[in-house]
Amino acid sequence: MDLRFNTKCVQGGYTPGNGEPRQIPIIQSTTFKYDTSEDMGKLFDLEASGYFYSRLQNPTCDHVAAKICELEGGTAAMLTGSGQSANFYAVFNIAGCGDHVVSSASIYGGSFNLFAVTMKRMGIEFTFVDPDCTEEELNAAFRPNTKAVFGETIANPALTVLDIEKFAKAAHAHGVPLIVDNTFATPVNCRPFEWGADIVTHSTTKYMDGHGAAVGGCIVDSGKFDWTAYPEKFACLCTPDESYHGVTYTERFGLAGAYITKATAQLMRDLGSVQSPQSAFILNLGLESLHVRMKRHCENALAVASYLEKHPKISWVNYCSLPGNKYYDLAQKYLPSGSCGVVSFGIKGGRTAAEVFMKHLKVGAIETHVADARTCILHPASSTHRQMNDAELAAAGVGADLVRMSCGLEDAQDLIDDIAQALEQV
Ligand SMILES: Cc1ncc(COP(=O)(O)O)c(C=O)c1O
């Protein structure tokens, strides 16, 4: 039966047989037992499917990955230990020393550092482009050794909306896949494969878990990018992997499975970064209510943004679902039923006023986290970015007055009342 999205959130990825556990079982075992060495040998040769060591694959994690795969409309998926490792693996699976990647400049700071510093040390160069650039400017960023394009559906923290079709068109014109980090939108609000993206990543730590309980990540493949059309560029997928008994991933697993099988068999084997079965179980509890929670996160954020917009002590509000926002039209196209729960705004009076405001909040808690059921709020200038002076903050696009609020699942009126009383103290 072809199930609808909401039903997949609740029941996708795992169908118990007669008398089997209703919940996804937590298989808390590092290893798996076989009767003969031949049986196990077949697994090592990737000739039979099954489990042998939880650093590569674990049944609990696979059920949860299968659910996220269904939600995104992909052909294969894997869980990772964090969103950071998901983005690292997604790129490193197809790009190595001497290669180049085009990325939107408007991405999560941790991803920017991973690309611009750590992966640069591995010999992979990134060109960062303004997400609002013209098609000509975007095309000009490509080089003969470009292997992928990267962007975030809704960027953290700038809240820019990626023109997925524009980025997909440019990527495909240059024979490379588009990787989209869909963390903030979640597949409830946007399914990037429907707009041309080839690979999707997630920090499941955010809305997918949604309760601030488990760090994790996920990579999903659409199965649509034809690696075999560029066998030299993607030799890692189209020629025998000597480190894996000479398997050629595209031949053995087809376009539907080659990319994720390689990332599992090669990168997980060598680098680790697995998600624990316990964390995967917790993640699945979050996924079961993702469609219900996202709706409320978005309603609360829109109510808060609309209130802030009219408040005399607020100088600006940034929320892409708010009419008049620079990204409103793109948000209506890619995120018509809602964007995310994160709103940023500026308080008149700058750093000092923002500090006073933060001090008086009673419902919103000061945290670096976002996307939790509980409202969390951050003033970067006095916390994560406190080493910067006002001029440096402005240059980084994080003004001294900027407050980022991740609206939780509380009553919207309580969030508004809390903001109102804290602003009265400013
Ligand atoms: C859009 C985005 N991608 C990736 C990450 C990294 O995820 P994690 O913290 O799970 O490693 C984050 C973290 O905030 C994020 O916001």
Side-chain angles (χ1 to χ4, degrees):
M1 192 174 152
D2 198 12
L3 299 173
R4 290 175 177 77
F5 186 88
N6 293 349
T7 309
K8 288 179 187 169
C9 280
V10 184
Q11 296 208 13
Y14 172 68
T15 310
N18 195 29
E20 286 181 356
R22 187 68 191 97
Q23 252 301 1
I24 295 179
I26 304 172
I27 307 295
Q28 192 65 46
S29 182
T30 55
T31 191
F32 300 81
K33 176 242 167 206
Y34 288 91
D35 289 340
T36 68
S37 298
E38 287 75 26
D39 287 345
M40 189 181 264
K42 284 186 188 139
L43 299 179
F44 274 89
D45 283 348
L46 299 176
E47 275 170 12
S49 61
Y51 299 92
F52 50 91
Y53 192 49
S54 286
R55 168 149 49 75
L56 283 93
Q57 272 186 297
N58 171 283
T60 310
C61 297
D62 279 358
H63 286 308
V64 181
K67 175 180 281 190
I68 298 174
C69 189
E70 284 181 40
L71 296 179
E72 287 289 5
T75 57
M78 68 197 283
L79 297 190
T80 57
S82 66
Q84 283 299 98
S85 51
N87 283 330
F88 172 56
Y89 280 23
V91 175
F92 195 59
N93 202 32
I94 46 173
C97 185
D99 289 335
H100 172 256
V101 175
V102 176
S103 172
S104 164
S106 186
I107 54 173
Y108 169 58
S111 304
F112 184 83
N113 200 68
L114 168 69
F115 295 162
V117 180
T118 302
M119 292 184 80
K120 190 173 180 212
R121 284 177 54 211
M122 298 172 159
I124 305 172
E125 256 203 85
F126 285 75
T127 297
F128 295 96
V129 295
D130 182 340
D132 304 330
C133 65
T134 63
E135 287 194 24
E136 292 70 38
E137 287 164 338
L138 185 51
N139 285 322
F142 286 80
R143 300 180 192 168
N145 58 342
T146 303
K147 293 292 176 76
V149 178
F150 182 92
E152 290 177 11
T153 312
I154 305 170
N156 176 18
L159 304 177
T160 52
V161 177
L162 189 75
D163 189 342
I164 302 173
E165 282 192 318
K166 179 177 80 178
F167 274 71
K169 188 176 161 201
H172 298 159
H174 292 87
V176 300
L178 171 63
I179 303 169
V180 172
D181 181 331
N182 198 30
T183 297
F184 266 35
T186 82
V188 173
N189 288 335
C190 179
R191 287 179 293 280
F193 295 156
E194 294 173 4
W195 301 100
D198 303 285
I199 314 284
V200 157
T201 60
H202 284 280
S203 163
T204 61
T205 320
K206 305 297 169 334
Y207 289 113
M208 285 194 166
D209 164 40
H211 297 79
V215 173
C218 185
I219 310 173
V220 189
D221 182 11
S222 68
K224 283 194 231 158
F225 190 82
D226 188 0
W227 313 103
T228 61
Y230 312 96
E232 281 166 21
K233 197 185 294 186
F234 299 109
C236 59
L237 286 159
C238 303
T239 53
D241 177 0
E242 295 312 332
S243 84
Y244 228 104
H245 317 286
V247 65
T248 299
Y249 295 103
T250 44
E251 269 174 22
R252 183 80 67 83
F253 303 100
L255 296 184
Y259 175 89
I260 292 293
T261 306
K262 176 182 177 292
T264 304
Q266 208 185 61
L267 300 188
M268 270 304 181
R269 177 198 60 189
D270 294 353
L271 300 169
S273 314
V274 283
Q275 189 166 142
S276 77
Q278 291 279 351
S279 290
F281 178 84
I282 293 167
L283 166 59
N284 185 57
L285 293 180
L287 290 170
E288 288 178 1
S289 62
L290 184 66
H291 55 304
V292 183
R293 290 184 292 107
M294 282 314 286
K295 193 167 179 293
R296 174 63 82 88
H297 278 296
C298 295
E299 283 167 6
N300 282 2
L302 189 58
V304 162
S306 306
Y307 171 79
L308 287 167
E309 199 183 26
K310 295 187 197 84
H311 199 288
K313 291 186 180 171
I314 298 298
S315 44
W316 57 268
V317 180
N318 183 17
Y319 185 59
C320 62
S321 301
L322 193 66
N325 183 273
K326 185 179 173 196
Y327 294 97
Y328 183 74
D329 290 343
L330 278 181
Q332 289 304 298
K333 174 176 174 180
Y334 294 111
L335 306 148
S337 40
S339 50
C340 66
V342 184
V343 178
S344 61
F345 52 95
I347 302 187
K348 286 182 187 165
R351 183 189 294 260
T352 318
E355 280 172 0
V356 173
F357 170 76
M358 298 290 288
K359 207 173 283 172
H360 288 91
L361 286 168
K362 293 184 168 61
V363 180
I366 299 173
E367 295 170 32
T368 54
H369 196 44
V370 291
D372 191 356
R374 290 145 293 219
T375 292
C376 27
I377 191 153
L378 185 77
H379 177 226
S382 57
S383 55
T384 50
H385 293 58
R386 62 181 294 117
Q387 75 281 6
M388 294 183 177
N389 62 35
D390 285 11
E392 287 168 335
L393 285 167
V398 186
D401 63 338
L402 185 150
V403 171
R404 181 186 72 185
M405 183 163 176
S406 168
C407 298
L409 302 175
E410 301 90 345
D411 192 304
Q413 196 54 50
D414 283 337
L415 300 182
I416 289 169
D417 291 351
D418 192 30
I419 292 170
Q421 64 81 23
L423 280 174
E424 262 172 38
Q425 310 298 322
V426 173

